[in-house]
C-alpha cells in the first residue's frame, strides 16, 4: 500500500469509529427502566434484558459499520479502476494527437522543388 492509501485508511477508520460512537450514544437508552419490580430477582432479569438489548444494538451498529467499510472499499476499488481507464484514454488521446501533428508537419509530395 502506498502512503496515501494508508492515510486514507487511517482517516476512514477514524471517521467510522466516530460514527460508531455517535450511533452507540444515540441508541443508548438513558437511565434504568422506570417500572423496576420490587423483588431482587426481577431487577436482575431486567438488568440482563437491558444488557442483552445493549449488546444487540452494538452488534447491529458494528454490522452497519462493517457494511459501510466494505462499501467504501468497493468504491475505492472502482475509483482506482476508473482512474486507470481515464489515464489510459488520456495517453491514447495524446498519442493520436502526436501522430496527427507529425502527419500534418510532413510535406505533401515534392511541391517545394
Amino acid at each position: 500500500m502506498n502512503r496515501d492509501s494508508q492515510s486514507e485508511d487511517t482517516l476512514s477508520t477514524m471517521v467510522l469509529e466516530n460514527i460508531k460512537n455517535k450511533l452507540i450514544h444515540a441508541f443508548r437508552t438513558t437511565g434504568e427502566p422506570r417500572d423496576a419490580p420490587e423483588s431482587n430477582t426481577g431487577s436482575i432479569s431486567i438488568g440482563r434484558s437491558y444488557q442483552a438489548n445493549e449488546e444487540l444494538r452494538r452488534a447491529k451498529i458494528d454490522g452497519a459499520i462493517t457494511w459501510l467499510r466494505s462499501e467504501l472499499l468497493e468504491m475505492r476499488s472502482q475509483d482506482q479502476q476508473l482512474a486507470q481507464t481515464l489515464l489510459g484514454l488520456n495517453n491514447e488521446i495524446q498519442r493520436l494527437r502526436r501522430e496527427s501533428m507529425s502527419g500534418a508537419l510532413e510535406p505533401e509530395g515534392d511541391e517545394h522543388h
Side-chain angles (χ1 to χ4, degrees), residues 6 8 28 32 54 56 60 71 80 92 98:
Q6 289 175 344
E8 289 175 10
R28 179 173 289 143
E32 290 296 319
E54 189 67 22
L56 180 62
K60 286 181 179 180
E71 289 295 311
Q80 289 171 347
E92 184 67 15
R98 283 192 304 271

Side-chain angles (χ1 to χ4, degrees), residues 97-110:
R97 279 187 184 158
R98 283 192 304 271
E99 286 178 5
S100 70
M101 292 295 280
S102 66
L105 294 177
E106 292 178 3
E108 294 181 18
D110 289 325

Side-chain angles (χ1 to χ4, degrees), residues 45-72:
S45 174
I46 289 176
R48 287 182 184 162
S49 176
Y50 174 79
Q51 184 179 5
N53 284 338
E54 189 67 22
E55 288 176 12
L56 180 62
R57 281 191 199 100
R58 287 177 189 256
K60 286 181 179 180
I61 291 169
D62 286 342
I65 290 173
T66 300
W67 177 81
L68 281 171
R69 185 173 278 133
S70 69
E71 289 295 311
L72 288 170

Side-chain angles (χ1 to χ4, degrees), residues 7-18:
S7 299
E8 289 175 10
D9 286 345
T10 302
L11 181 61
S12 296
T13 301
M14 289 172 46
V15 168
L16 289 172
E17 282 298 319
N18 187 21

